[in-house]
Amino acid sequence: MPRPARPALLLAGLLAAAGTAHFVVPRQFDALVPEVLPGSPRAWTKASGMAELALAAGLAIPATRRASAQATALFFAAVFPANVKMAYDWRDRSTAAKTLAYARLPLQVPLILWARKAARTEQ
């Protein structure tokens, strides 16, 4: 039985806010881009911001919700290396900063589960 669309719409809001932040304050995201990726960090920041905005739009539209939710789960898994890089880069910062960086690592699991739940919402 399909579930109400609320989880998908809330996730769309989160992704829209995050995607917008990539364009409003890109420098903080540039620093998370692993050096092994080709091209400039800013290009990756813009690309991931556009991806988040596209996923948000897909989650908001009933006809594309399931596919977008599945893509969102994959996206959350794909950006995990950036969170690992942040934790490593922030290892010498204050305790509060380190705590924030390390707390982001397990956060990917509930985000992925949230996206999977959104895939099962009403179309």
Side-chain angles (χ1 to χ4, degrees):
M1 177 176 185
R3 298 178 182 169
R6 186 169 184 203
L9 296 176
L10 290 172
L11 184 56
L14 174 74
L15 284 165
T20 300
H22 280 70
F23 294 96
V24 174
V25 286
R27 195 174 329 150
Q28 72 182 23
F29 296 99
D30 293 347
L32 302 178
V33 177
E35 291 87 13
V36 298
L37 292 176
S40 72
R42 183 59 51 93
W44 285 100
T45 294
K46 288 180 179 180
S48 62
M50 288 188 311
E52 287 175 329
L53 292 171
L55 291 168
L59 286 166
I61 300 168
T64 58
R65 185 168 293 141
R66 184 178 312 274
S68 294
Q70 292 168 343
T72 298
L74 292 173
F75 177 81
F76 286 144
V79 299
F80 183 72
N83 293 344
V84 171
K85 180 183 183 307
M86 178 182 175
Y88 179 78
D89 289 348
W90 288 21
R91 68 191 180 281
D92 296 325
R93 292 196 180 184
S94 70
T95 301
K98 285 189 285 194
T99 300
L100 173 66
Y102 294 138
R104 287 182 58 142
L105 298 175
L107 182 61
Q108 293 307 111
V109 173
L111 288 172
I112 290 168
L113 294 175
W114 187 2
R116 292 185 66 203
K117 181 178 182 178
R120 298 186 304 270
T121 61
E122 291 178 3
Q123 301 298 314

